Amino acid sequence: MPEDQANRLDITSPAFDAEDSGSWGLAAPERRVWGLAVRGDRLYYSVEEGPQIWSLGINQDGSFGADPRWELDVPADPNAYPVSDIAFQSNSLMLLAQRGGITSRYDYSQYQTPRKTRVLRYRLESPNDPATPSRWVSAPEDYAIGFPGIHRNSSGGIAIGYGYRKDAGGNYVRGSCKGTLWSTGDALRDNPVHGARLAQGGPLNVHGLQGNALSLVRPANVPPWETYFVDYDSQFDDPQAAGHVGDVEIARECGRKRTDVMDLRILKRAKPERCTVGNQCPFGVEIENTGTKTYSGPLVIQDIAHNGAQLIGHSPPPPGWDCREVFPGTGVYECSNPGVTLKPGQKTSLELLFQMPPWWVRHVYDNCAELRIPGAGVDERPYNNRSCAYVATIGPGHPDYVPDLKLEKFGLFGACDFFGLCEFVVRITNVGAAPYTGQLNVNDFTTTPGATITDWAPKPDWNCALLAPDNYGCSTAGPVTLLPGDFRELVILTQGPPIAPGVTTVRNCAWIDWNGAPGDVNPFNEYDCAEI
């Protein structure tokens, strides 16, 4: 709808009335935007006409996309009140707060029509029903806000805060990162029917905040006894006040801080493009400090040579690196360096020369190395302490000279954090003989009740979109080329209920999605799960 340039506020006009919002020159309802929220790469916003909820894509440079999408109409019950705030409990749960009609009193006592507005929760259809106009279930859930009337006492603001629990001493401390819904409201404890009981807990005319567990949608918590109330000005003699408190925002610091992390990563690669069976084949091993702490100490690598391959040389020689077979004839070698210092971003390398066995018949030779020291307890991301190299033993023209993509899933850290934030890694490696060129597509999902996928990295290398609750489809930004042994990684973040330290409860899975196209020669290595 185009802007009406003539509809401007003019307080000198005889038609202007400070107590009549119709004379204030507000934008037409179709253009009047109220609540805003960003989720993923989309901006969600409410329009007073309807009211309706729409969303719009946000490009990587911060500009808006050309993809506006209608989400839902908020039903009039019985009247249509504007949605002044939007919050997301998860990818599949959207919360909306209504605010009463605009009022203006000469004594500044009221700014909205009280006792008529709700806090609603919409749930994403699962699976999406193409026969319905919206992606969201049409009938919303709602919360009991305040004691007056039928518990519709919102003044338009909502925010999600920490959950709380009792510690061993009986004190309330932070529990989950997302556990409490805070809603603004008026006269939240004023109800003569329950007056005697309510009076035991303090004043009745509380204008400010109501806090309750996110899970307590109706019919639970009616009336809202399982609730905290906070008055915004500690003045309790204004029963007719309404709308003085509008929005509420809560700063939360959730999840593992990615600072002060010790992480050494090992990477093994074949030096040549191909190695000939029965001849020598050199491999490079690189250890990089990808954390934020400096490491000083010894390094020990275990290398496994398959099917009778023999380590016949390495460089640099002692006193830098010393390599020897752990048990004669086993093909298990240990290479150690008595002491290195690696600052964040620094690397050290080692070259190993193997004699390949003459009886090797497979078209790819794989050789793996594992960083054993410093190891767990020092290295905080153990998933990248093992690396395998893949080198072709055949060339172009051979019928088996084809790529083969393998998917692996790891926990980024050894455990989820105190707030239930878990980080998983998807790694796709070309374990075939030939290079792969094309887009990588992954379907990632969590199988743990209450856990939801919340984010991914790196961006913009990967783009992810919600397919269903707790299910993302992710693709590289464009085609990639993976030589044998090359890989790409995607980090997935999930948020769940509070998880006790050391308890393995969250499971995350992924598989390669060929989007209907023929896959590669080996479909049996394209699905994996991890639990932490």
Side-chain angles (χ1 to χ4, degrees):
M1 180 179 180
E3 180 183 4
D4 182 1
Q5 296 288 339
N7 187 30
R8 298 295 180 91
L9 173 64
D10 181 5
I11 63 174
T12 65
S13 170
F16 174 75
D17 183 352
E19 296 187 11
D20 179 10
S21 62
S23 68
W24 296 354
L26 299 176
E30 299 93 328
R31 291 180 53 86
R32 200 175 303 169
V33 173
W34 283 72
L36 300 171
V38 174
R39 187 68 176 178
D41 58 356
R42 296 191 72 81
L43 170 69
Y44 289 76
Y45 59 95
S46 66
V47 179
E48 180 162 332
E49 176 71 11
Q52 295 181 329
I53 307 299
W54 288 72
S55 69
L56 184 67
I58 303 175
N59 299 321
Q60 292 293 333
D61 62 0
S63 62
F64 291 126
D67 57 346
R69 182 175 71 202
W70 169 81
E71 298 289 343
L72 58 88
D73 286 350
V74 179
D77 185 18
N79 298 316
Y81 292 103
V83 173
S84 54
D85 208 357
I86 304 172
F88 283 87
Q89 181 177 342
S90 68
N91 291 319
S92 58
L93 293 173
M94 178 171 61
L95 281 67
L96 309 177
Q98 294 178 312
R99 186 170 171 87
I102 298 175
T103 62
S104 179
R105 297 283 183 87
Y106 71 94
D107 59 357
Y108 307 110
S109 61
Q110 292 192 356
Y111 296 105
Q112 69 146 352
T113 305
R115 295 178 173 80
K116 297 181 182 295
T117 47
R118 300 188 291 166
V119 173
L120 308 171
R121 186 171 77 173
Y122 279 88
R123 187 177 297 272
L124 203 64
E125 292 180 343
S126 179
N128 183 44
D129 184 356
T132 60
S134 172
R135 302 184 308 133
W136 302 88
V137 176
S138 60
E141 303 167 300
D142 73 321
Y143 292 88
I145 304 298
F147 279 87
I150 56 174
H151 316 297
R152 296 182 175 184
N153 299 284
S154 165
S155 59
I158 50 174
I160 295 175
Y162 297 107
Y164 297 92
R165 62 180 179 84
K166 283 187 177 181
D167 63 12
N171 301 307
Y172 281 97
V173 296
R174 292 177 184 174
S176 63
C177 179
K178 295 181 179 181
T180 304
L181 171 65
W182 292 97
S183 308
T184 60
D186 298 309
L188 291 169
R189 304 185 74 248
D190 184 13
N191 188 318
V193 175
H194 304 290
R197 180 178 174 184
L198 287 167
Q200 298 176 19
L204 304 183
N205 293 315
V206 173
H207 307 291
L209 288 173
Q210 170 178 314
N212 55 263
L214 274 167
S215 59
L216 294 181
V217 293
R218 295 180 191 247
N221 204 29
V222 179
W225 292 109
E226 297 181 49
T227 304
Y228 299 97
F229 294 103
V230 180
D231 190 89
Y232 84 100
D233 64 355
S234 298
Q235 303 296 317
F236 307 105
D237 56 354
D238 49 356
Q240 300 306 314
H244 287 242
V245 179
D247 196 12
V248 56
E249 298 294 336
I250 296 175
R252 288 178 293 129
E253 187 177 89
C254 301
R256 186 185 304 275
K257 292 184 178 180
R258 289 163 181 80
T259 59
D260 206 27
V261 174
M262 172 60 69
D263 180 35
L264 299 185
R265 181 187 69 181
I266 187 170
L267 191 64
K268 184 159 192 179
R269 287 289 180 269
K271 290 288 190 177
E273 181 180 349
R274 279 183 295 279
C275 288
T276 306
V277 172
N279 291 322
Q280 297 177 0
C281 187
F283 293 85
V285 179
E286 180 181 272
I287 299 172
E288 180 181 3
N289 185 345
T290 55
T292 57
K293 294 180 181 178
T294 297
Y295 174 76
S296 293
L299 297 175
V300 176
I301 297 170
Q302 185 180 88
D303 195 288
I304 299 176
H306 290 299
N307 291 73
Q310 294 183 342
L311 179 64
I312 59 176
H314 72 276
S315 64
W321 286 94
D322 182 30
C323 296
R324 61 190 64 194
E325 195 169 14
V326 178
F327 298 105
T330 62
V332 178
Y333 296 89
E334 186 175 275
C335 297
S336 59
N337 190 316
V340 299
T341 296
L342 294 176
K343 295 180 179 180
Q346 289 186 335
K347 306 174 183 179
T348 185
S349 59
L350 168 68
E351 185 169 314
L352 304 175
L353 183 63
F354 284 91
Q355 179 71 40
M356 292 186 61
W359 52 83
W360 186 263
V361 295
R362 288 169 49 198
H363 306 305
V364 175
Y365 181 77
D366 59 296
N367 179 241
C368 300
E370 182 177 356
L371 183 62
R372 305 298 296 272
I373 294 178
V378 177
D379 195 321
E380 298 178 62
R381 292 174 180 158
Y383 90 94
N384 57 11
N385 286 352
R386 186 175 186 272
S387 179
C388 296
Y390 300 87
V391 59
T393 59
I394 57 175
H398 193 286
D400 293 318
Y401 185 73
V402 292
D404 178 14
L405 298 187
K406 176 182 179 180
L407 184 144
E408 297 173 281
K409 173 75 77 165
F410 308 93
L412 182 60
F413 291 91
C416 301
D417 73 3
F418 180 75
F419 293 112
L421 182 70
C422 310
E423 297 175 82
F424 294 90
V425 178
V426 180
R427 178 187 292 169
I428 299 178
T429 306
N430 182 6
V431 299
Y436 169 84
T437 298
Q439 192 172 46
L440 300 178
N441 304 294
V442 173
N443 191 304
D444 195 283
F445 60 96
T446 179
T447 64
T448 302
T452 60
I453 298 172
T454 60
D455 204 358
W456 73 92
K459 300 174 183 177
D461 298 351
W462 287 87
N463 297 314
C464 296
L466 185 68
L467 301 178
D470 312 334
N471 184 195
Y472 265 122
C474 300
S475 302
T476 52
V480 300
T481 296
L482 299 179
L483 301 177
D486 285 352
F487 61 86
R488 291 290 188 276
E489 289 185 343
L490 167 68
V491 178
I492 294 290
L493 283 77
T494 71
Q495 178 72 56
I499 297 172
V503 177
T504 304
T505 56
V506 177
R507 180 178 174 87
N508 182 246
C509 302
W511 49 277
I512 296 175
D513 188 353
W514 295 98
N515 287 335
D520 60 27
V521 294
N522 181 14
F524 302 106
N525 60 359
E526 298 176 359
Y527 177 92
D528 197 17
C529 297
E531 290 186 352
I532 56 176

